[in-house]
């Protein structure tokens, strides 16, 4: 890489991305190394570059150099570094290639440092320099140029909805059932992951069945329906805000009261937790996950479930963004317990669960695919140990990674969303 | 003590330490103001949990070793760390008592059990030093500052212990304290100031999202 002077851009990105909290946390690490074993990359690679404190260290060095006056003196002694071509290559490899932003290290840091958040700050600096890995950059660019991350054309999407509606009517033997599209004034706007429309329409069929059974007023949107937000992974917060604003436009256009998000980890974290800070205001509608909605339905007696319809042993993968970073600790578990006969927990589980390896934009970054698959060993081992035949994962990124792990590590399991499991247990 | 009170060198040393403490406090205040410059009011999402409980947890139960996998897996390091930091607190209180002639506290921090504790603290600090030096990964993670800061603090504890029974060694304890205090804002020892704000940020983040404190009763079962 040619040596360039990036000082002004780095300073600009740092001052844009830095806030008081991040600046405090960048001054706190003592490099005790206790976070090492919380990272699935480290557990598999045993490489110092995978230790979360090391990832933090390289961001901290640049922070010290550009914004901390003491960092300019005795740089080798206190650790500060100017961002230059050789550093950038290392940054790309470590911050994008060795982190899935799962936040397991943050939860385990004795100092309370949100390491995953500071890795995202590092990524935002690289993004400012135009150095987002090509796969991730191309997914973002597709989202900018079309209205979803897979470039699905509107006619194609409408066609899929109509076809699924026919399927749903046939399955339920009820011609009045519909998958509403652009229904103005519906209570709920349901935002999907384009992956569902393109490759896994069964999850949409399942959600249609559930909303129908609960007698819900809901709708899909013909455009701006994408729950994913890959700019969250690249740390490009202005762009991330723009992507969220699209959902807001659909909410306004259809005059809905509640935005319900499909089973998507980072989509949930982006919309529910990060969007207000990006936008500078709190959206004037409620944002919930379909898991919360389904749990409410079951508790209110709107859904009747028969666990005997799911006899195979089932385990749950807790997606990092939904659980550890999103706070949905019990919903998926509650729904599965109501829907299956034999539920087996993974160890560890809940907020301590291991990342599958597919988060942080890893699935989009083909340049790091081999490492991602290797890092998935931990999850594969966890699944094997449960002896389950069905793995439920309420996140489409996780499902994609688990599909690969299933093939590579010969797990021999079926993969499902929570919505699918609930729909299978549904009694009309 | 009376012998030392009359000693001009000791008086100057004490004054220097007080000056160093004031200087360092000012530096930290400036540092805080500088980073406070980055403060941006952010609209908070509708909470799912309790921010206050999250913050309380982060500075109380959340510090217990069984609350985190990282400390559950490393009990010895955790215990050594606790002993080390407690000993530092004892040595610091002893220093304050000496500086301001607080005889009651000085008596409390100048007996055999405290001396033994400061020795144990020194050994704990040394074991952390060697852990850093001998583990290849930690070595790669470390800066010279990590070793220097540790040694400076270890020496502070050792001098603190020795000076309890050999009053002539008090000058070394005070000299050591002077340099240690001046070094505080420069390197990793600044975590003594940033630890609490950082834990509060942690508590706020996870408290808001309802992740921490861990629910004692499951909402759904």
């Amino acid at each position: 890489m040619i040596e360039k002077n990036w000082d002004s851009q780095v300073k600009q990105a740092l001052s844009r991305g830095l806030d008081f909290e991040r600046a405090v946390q960048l001054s706190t690490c003592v490099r005790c190394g206790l976070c090492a074993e919380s990272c699935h990359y480290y557990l598999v690679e045993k490489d110092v570059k995978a230790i979360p404190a090391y990832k933090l260290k390289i961001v901290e060095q640049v922070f010290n150099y550009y914004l901390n006056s003491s960092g300019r003196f005795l740089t080798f002694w206190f650790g500060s570094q100017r961002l230059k071509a050789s550093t950038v290559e290392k940054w790309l490899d470590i911050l994008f290639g060795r982190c899935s932003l799962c936040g397991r290290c943050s939860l385990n840091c004795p100092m309370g440092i949100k390491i995953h958040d500071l890795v995202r700050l590092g990524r935002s600096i690289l993004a400012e320099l135009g150095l987002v890995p090509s796969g991730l950059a191309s997914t973002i660019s597709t989202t900018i140029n079309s209205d979803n991350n897979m470039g699905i054309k509107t006619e194609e999407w409408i066609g899929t909805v109509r076809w699924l509606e026919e399927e749903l009517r046939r399955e339920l033997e009820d011609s009045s059932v519909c998958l509403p599209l652009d229904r103005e004034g519906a209570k709920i706007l349901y935002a999907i992951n384009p992956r569902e429309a393109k490759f896994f329409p069964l999850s949409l069929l399942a959600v249609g069945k559930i909303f129908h059974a609960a007698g819900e007023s809901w709708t899909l949107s013909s455009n701006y329906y994408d729950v994913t937000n890959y700019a969250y992974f690249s740390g490009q917060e202005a762009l991330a805000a723009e992507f969220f604003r699209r959902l807001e436009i659909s909410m306004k256009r259809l005059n809905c009261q509640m935005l319900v998000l499909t089973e998507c980890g980072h989509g949930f974290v982006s919309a529910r937790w990060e969007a207000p800070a990006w936008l500078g205001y709190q959206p004037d509608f409620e944002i919930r996950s379909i898991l919360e909605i389904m749990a409410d339905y079951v508790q209110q007696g709107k859904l009747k479930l028969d666990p005997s319809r799911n006899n195979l042993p089932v385990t749950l993968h807790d997606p990092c963004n939904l659980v550890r970073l999103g706070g949905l600790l019990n919903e998926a578990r509650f729904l599965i317990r109501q829907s299956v006969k034999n539920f087996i927990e993974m160890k560890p589980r809940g907020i301590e669960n291991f990342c599958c390896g597919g988060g942080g934009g890893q699935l989009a970054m083909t340049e790091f695919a081999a490492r991602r698959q290797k890092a998935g060993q931990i999850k594969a081992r966890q699944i094997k140990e449960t002896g389950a035949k069905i793995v439920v994962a309420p996140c489409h990124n996780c499902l994609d990674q688990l599909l690969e792990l299933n093939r590579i590590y010969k797990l021999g399991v079926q993969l499902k969303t929570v919505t699918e499991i609930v729909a299978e247990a549904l009694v009309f | 003590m009376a012998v030392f009170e009359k000693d001009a060198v000791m008086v100057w040393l004490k004054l220097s330490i007080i000056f160093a403490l004031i200087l360092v406090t000012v530096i930290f205040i400036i540092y805080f103001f500088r980073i406070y410059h980055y403060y941006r009011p952010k609209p908070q999402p509708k909470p799912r949990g309790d921010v206050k409980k999250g913050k309380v947890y982060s500075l109380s139960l959340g510090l217990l070793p069984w609350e985190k996998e990282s400390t559950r897996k490393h009990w010895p390091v955790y215990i050594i760390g606790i002993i080390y930091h407690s000993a530092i607190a004892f040595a610091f209180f002893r220093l304050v008592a000496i500086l301001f002639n607080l005889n009651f506290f000085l008596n409390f921090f100048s007996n055999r059990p405290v001396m033994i504790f400061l020795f144990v603290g020194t050994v704990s600090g040394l074991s952390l030093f060697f852990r850093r030096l001998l583990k290849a990964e930690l070595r790669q993670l470390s800066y010279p500052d990590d070793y220097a800061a540790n040694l400076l603090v270890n020496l502070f504890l050792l001098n603190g212990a020795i000076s309890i029974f050999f009053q002539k060694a008090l000058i070394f304890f005070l000299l050591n304290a002077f340099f240690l205090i001046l070094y505080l804002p420069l390197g990793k020892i600044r975590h003594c100031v940033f630890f609490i704000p950082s834990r509060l940020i942690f508590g706020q983040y996870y408290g808001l999202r309802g992740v921490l404190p861990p629910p004692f009763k499951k909402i759904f079962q």
Side-chain angles (χ1 to χ4, degrees):
Chain A
M1 204 178 276
I2 304 160
E3 207 59 64
K4 287 181 188 171
N5 187 347
W6 283 314
D7 289 356
S8 63
Q9 282 162 286
V10 174
K11 268 188 183 173
Q12 202 179 352
L14 260 176
S15 44
R16 195 182 301 149
L18 256 190
D19 55 18
F20 177 67
E21 297 179 353
R22 281 173 163 176
V24 165
Q25 297 219 312
L26 278 168
S27 311
T28 312
C29 182
V30 292
R31 294 168 288 283
C32 64
L34 288 182
C35 53
E37 286 156 29
S38 62
C39 179
H40 53 293
Y41 279 100
Y42 173 78
L43 288 175
V44 168
E45 289 186 310
K46 295 286 176 199
D47 186 328
V48 68
K49 292 200 273 302
I51 296 179
Y54 192 86
K55 298 168 194 171
L56 173 61
K57 175 181 162 173
I58 60 174
V59 181
E60 192 191 323
Q61 285 176 337
V62 166
F63 165 75
N64 283 343
Y65 184 85
Y66 288 97
L67 297 178
N68 195 353
S69 43
S70 69
R72 292 288 182 113
F73 309 105
L74 292 171
T75 52
F76 80 101
W77 189 270
F78 295 114
S80 67
Q81 198 169 37
R82 190 170 169 225
L83 201 63
K84 40 188 195 216
S86 54
T87 336
V88 156
E89 277 172 21
K90 191 170 150 187
W91 269 46
L92 276 167
D93 182 62
I94 294 173
L95 299 182
F96 277 105
R98 282 194 164 92
C99 180
S100 57
L101 302 176
C102 74
R104 201 166 186 273
C105 49
S106 306
L107 202 67
N108 276 291
C109 172
M111 310 302 285
I113 303 170
K114 294 181 289 164
I115 302 170
H116 70 284
D117 183 55
L118 297 171
V119 167
R120 240 163 40 79
L121 173 67
R123 286 185 176 194
S124 74
I125 296 171
L126 291 172
E128 179 75 27
L129 306 177
L131 294 170
V132 176
S134 59
L136 184 56
S138 125
T139 308
I140 292 171
S141 144
T142 307
T143 316
I144 295 170
N145 297 327
S146 73
D147 74 347
N148 62 82
N149 77 22
M150 291 206 161
I152 301 170
K153 292 195 173 78
T154 307
E155 318 83 72
E156 206 181 321
W157 165 231
I158 294 173
T160 305
V161 174
R162 293 291 161 246
W163 162 66
L164 286 170
E165 192 173 59
E166 287 301 314
E167 288 295 313
L168 195 60
R169 284 177 179 163
R170 197 172 306 133
E171 197 181 322
L172 299 179
E173 295 169 349
D174 182 350
S175 59
S176 68
V177 185
C178 67
L179 283 183
L181 193 63
D182 289 339
R183 181 181 287 171
E184 280 186 41
K187 184 183 158 199
I188 288 174
L189 170 66
Y190 186 68
I192 69 154
N193 184 321
R195 171 192 184 274
E196 297 177 269
K198 192 103 176 169
F199 303 116
F200 297 91
L202 286 182
S203 61
L204 288 176
L205 213 54
V207 88
K209 222 188 263 185
I210 287 162
F211 278 140
H212 173 68
E216 189 58 86
S217 155
W218 73 293
T219 187
L220 294 162
S221 174
S222 58
N223 60 11
Y224 290 166
Y225 50 80
D226 184 354
V227 75
T228 68
N229 198 328
Y230 278 71
Y232 168 75
F233 295 139
S234 60
Q236 293 165 288
E237 300 197 342
L239 203 51
E242 202 46 52
F243 290 160
F244 177 79
R245 242 179 241 123
R246 293 175 169 188
L247 291 172
E248 207 179 13
I249 290 170
S250 288
M251 284 293 289
K252 294 257 150 64
R253 181 173 66 86
L254 297 170
N255 195 21
C256 297
Q257 297 159 37
M258 190 193 291
L259 176 64
V260 173
L261 313 169
T262 187
E263 297 175 52
C264 177
H266 85 278
F268 179 75
V269 159
S270 302
R272 175 71 174 85
W273 296 114
E274 306 291 345
W278 296 336
L279 297 166
Y281 59 86
Q282 170 71 40
D284 58 358
F285 48 84
E286 210 179 338
I287 302 168
R288 302 188 80 193
S289 160
I290 184 68
L291 298 180
E292 295 172 278
I293 299 294
M294 287 193 293
D296 283 354
Y297 290 159
V298 174
Q299 288 202 313
Q300 292 159 3
K302 287 184 179 174
L303 295 184
K304 288 192 178 60
L305 303 174
D306 176 8
S308 68
R309 293 188 175 191
N310 290 312
N311 286 318
L312 290 173
V314 174
T315 190
L316 168 69
H317 162 66
D318 288 290
C320 311
N321 278 308
L322 272 186
V323 180
R324 186 161 40 239
L325 302 176
L328 301 185
L329 312 185
N330 295 310
E331 284 76 358
R333 214 159 250 104
F334 165 71
L335 289 164
I336 294 171
R337 283 208 177 103
Q338 301 291 319
S339 309
V340 310
K341 273 191 105 172
N342 186 3
F343 175 53
I344 308 156
E345 287 279 16
M346 282 189 198
K347 280 182 193 161
R349 67 189 172 91
I351 59 171
E352 292 202 342
N353 193 29
F354 275 105
C355 176
C356 62
Q362 288 300 332
L363 281 156
M365 296 184 279
T366 45
E367 48 272 69
F368 303 120
R371 202 185 277 159
R372 164 174 58 80
Q373 289 159 357
K374 199 175 163 198
Q377 261 178 44
I378 308 286
K379 179 53 60 187
R381 195 183 310 145
Q382 269 190 295
I383 293 172
K384 263 187 193 160
E385 282 168 4
T386 63
K389 294 290 168 213
I390 298 175
V391 178
V392 176
C395 168
H396 287 280
N397 267 352
C398 296
L399 281 170
D400 274 342
Q401 167 77 345
L402 292 171
L403 276 169
E404 279 192 48
L405 299 183
N406 196 16
R407 180 176 47 82
I408 296 166
Y409 296 101
K410 300 183 176 39
L411 302 175
V413 293
Q414 294 175 50
L415 294 157
K416 290 185 179 177
T417 61
V418 176
T419 316
E420 284 169 349
I421 280 282
V422 171
E424 281 166 17
L426 206 54
V427 182
F428 282 93
Chain B
M1 284 305 299
V3 177
F4 290 102
E5 284 298 323
K6 287 172 191 159
D7 189 335
V9 176
M10 291 299 284
V11 173
W12 274 107
L13 201 47
K14 282 183 186 182
L15 287 173
S16 307
I17 293 172
I18 292 168
F19 172 75
L21 274 170
I22 294 167
L23 179 72
V24 162
T25 307
V26 171
I27 290 173
F28 273 122
I29 290 170
I30 293 170
Y31 191 88
F32 255 101
F33 268 109
R34 283 196 61 193
I35 58 176
Y36 196 74
H37 162 73
Y38 297 108
Y39 174 78
R40 288 182 217 145
K42 281 189 232 165
Q44 288 292 320
K46 191 177 142 202
R48 193 180 152 80
D50 188 328
V51 172
K52 213 181 281 175
K53 280 186 186 168
K55 286 181 175 175
V56 171
Y57 171 84
S58 73
L59 289 174
S60 55
L61 295 178
L63 297 173
L64 295 173
W66 49 82
E67 290 293 296
K68 287 185 287 289
E69 185 196 80
S70 56
T71 42
R72 275 202 302 272
K73 280 186 174 174
H74 296 277
W75 272 90
V77 179
Y78 179 87
I79 291 167
I80 288 169
I82 291 290
I83 294 172
Y84 186 47
H85 286 86
S86 309
I88 295 167
F90 269 64
F92 184 75
F93 289 139
R94 178 168 153 70
L95 175 71
V96 172
I98 293 169
L99 288 181
F100 300 103
N101 293 322
L102 306 172
N103 286 331
F104 172 76
F105 289 104
L106 195 54
N107 290 337
F108 184 78
F109 289 107
S110 306
N111 52 40
R112 186 179 289 268
V114 172
M115 185 189 75
I116 294 170
F117 188 55
L118 294 185
F119 271 126
V120 174
T122 311
V123 174
S124 304
L126 280 174
S127 68
L128 292 176
F129 177 85
F130 284 110
R131 175 176 178 262
R132 191 174 287 281
L133 191 70
L134 299 176
K135 283 184 88 171
E137 284 162 354
L138 272 184
R139 237 182 5 253
Q140 291 177 65
L141 210 57
S142 305
Y143 302 120
D145 167 51
D146 292 310
Y147 302 100
N150 177 286
L151 288 177
L152 202 54
V153 173
N154 295 347
L155 211 57
F156 176 63
L157 294 180
L158 186 65
N159 280 322
I162 294 171
S163 67
I164 289 177
F165 280 89
F166 298 99
Q167 291 223 334
K168 282 184 182 170
L170 199 59
I171 193 165
F172 297 111
F173 178 56
L174 294 183
L175 260 175
N176 195 166
F178 175 71
F179 288 113
L180 178 61
I181 290 165
L182 285 181
Y183 195 73
L184 275 184
L186 297 176
K188 76 178 284 188
I189 314 182
R190 65 183 175 201
H191 75 267
C192 64
V193 171
F194 288 101
F195 173 73
I196 291 177
S198 190
R199 290 292 303 178
L200 287 173
I201 290 166
F202 173 87
Q204 150 115 18
Y205 180 84
Y206 288 106
L208 182 79
R209 296 173 186 221
V211 175
L212 294 174
F216 289 106
K217 261 180 20 184
K218 286 192 173 170
I219 307 162
F220 306 106
Q221 191 62 269

